[in-house]
Amino acid sequence: DVKVTQSSRYLVKRTGEKVFLECVQDMDHENMFWYRQDPGLGLRLIYFSYDVKMKEKGDIPEGYSVSREKKERFSLILESASTNQTSMYLCASSLRRRVIAREGSQPQHFGDGTRLSIL
Amino acid sequence: KNEVEQSPQNLTAQEGEFITINCSYSVGISALHWLQQHPGGGIVSLFMLSSGKKKHGRLIATINIQEKHSSLHITASHPRDSAVYICAVRWGPGYFGNEKLTFGTGTRLTIIP
């Protein structure tokens, strides 16, 4: 079974701090994703990475950056934490499809989430 | 803007009832996922559909591409089915390797014994 591990289940930080959220997957997946989940808004994509050192902005990248130095690890960085970044953060990974096909998709495998509070 | 809408937002039912959760989307997709999230946060993938119907145990997922609509059905519901069910879509053909998804806001299902 695929295992996606997030470094913390709960985290409390102060406004202005630099915050690191770590995610590790053990299945050699090319794609990795960072989402935040807020009540009434569903999961929203912050950043994703389709290979080592490659990254693309998602729908809400402002205030965040990411790092992918090794294939198995994808880090989310809050450069200067603010109270509006209090949220549940979820990491996911998936295989890159080997064929170019109009249809289909790879399932994403999720970590258990990090509930981050910024005070 | 490409959107994914789920209904109902909340659903409470008695154990044993047949459950239907709906998902509609605004433009053409290449795939639709159904996901389950239990209290505590962990999300698991239930189904991925491009067309037709899939079944796994008591869960059935269908998709109608022309109507831009998918349903998730649970037969003989059980309290352990209580969770948030989330629909997510991959828009269009995308570019090779693009697996970005757009998510609905979820349906909270509660099954009462």
Side-chain angles (χ1 to χ4, degrees):
Chain A
D1 271 359
V2 176
K3 183 73 175 171
V4 179
T5 303
Q6 294 184 229
S7 51
S8 307
R9 289 301 306 273
Y10 301 94
L11 203 54
V12 180
K13 296 290 183 181
R14 297 220 169 263
T15 303
E17 281 193 67
K18 191 168 186 176
V19 180
F20 293 86
L21 301 182
E22 305 286 346
C23 175
V24 177
Q25 49 93 6
D26 66 357
M27 282 302 291
D28 206 36
H29 285 172
E30 292 87 358
N31 299 321
M32 295 189 76
F33 307 83
W34 273 108
Y35 299 97
R36 64 178 282 178
Q37 186 178 30
D38 300 289
L41 295 177
L43 278 86
R44 293 179 292 166
L45 181 64
I46 304 171
Y47 268 98
F48 83 102
S49 169
Y50 51 90
D51 207 341
V52 175
K53 296 191 187 295
M54 306 304 286
K55 61 185 178 186
E56 282 200 21
K57 293 179 180 179
D59 300 317
I60 50 165
E62 297 78 20
Y64 303 94
S65 62
V66 290
S67 172
R68 187 131 181 237
E69 296 297 317
K70 293 185 177 181
K71 192 174 186 180
E72 67 269 20
R73 186 180 296 270
F74 192 34
S75 302
L76 179 70
I77 303 152
L78 284 65
E79 297 290 345
S80 177
S82 64
T83 54
N84 63 12
Q85 292 178 309
T86 291
S87 187
M88 169 72 100
Y89 289 86
L90 288 141
C91 174
S93 72
S94 72
L95 273 172
R96 181 193 304 160
R97 289 188 295 153
R98 269 30 180 195
V99 294
I100 298 173
R102 182 178 178 82
E103 294 185 348
S105 184
Q106 290 287 348
Q108 292 190 13
H109 301 267
F110 287 82
D112 289 334
T114 296
R115 192 166 290 282
L116 175 64
S117 297
I118 306 296
L119 304 179
Chain B
K1 184 183 172 189
N2 297 340
E3 291 187 338
V4 181
E5 305 246 350
Q6 283 188 242
S7 63
Q9 284 190 314
N10 294 284
L11 179 56
T12 300
Q14 292 290 132
E15 182 174 356
E17 285 190 44
F18 182 81
I19 303 298
T20 296
I21 298 169
N22 298 298
C23 177
S24 298
Y25 48 91
S26 54
V27 296
I29 63 169
S30 57
L32 184 143
H33 297 253
W34 281 103
L35 307 158
Q36 180 191 56
Q37 185 174 30
H38 277 286
I43 295 176
V44 295
S45 181
L46 298 174
F47 294 104
M48 191 281 294
L49 295 163
S50 298
S51 61
K53 177 179 174 177
K54 286 190 176 178
K55 184 175 190 291
H56 182 67
R58 294 180 294 106
L59 300 177
I60 303 165
T62 63
I63 189 167
N64 184 318
I65 298 296
Q66 286 72 33
E67 294 187 2
K68 298 185 177 59
H69 180 268
S70 175
S71 292
L72 177 68
H73 305 286
I74 305 175
T75 61
S77 59
H78 189 277
R80 65 174 174 266
D81 298 326
S82 297
V84 176
Y85 292 84
I86 302 169
C87 166
V89 303
R90 179 173 179 258
W91 301 109
Y95 53 86
F96 178 61
N98 176 15
E99 290 291 337
K100 286 194 289 185
L101 301 177
T102 299
F103 295 79
T105 54
T107 295
R108 185 175 299 277
L109 175 65
T110 304
I111 304 297
I112 299 170

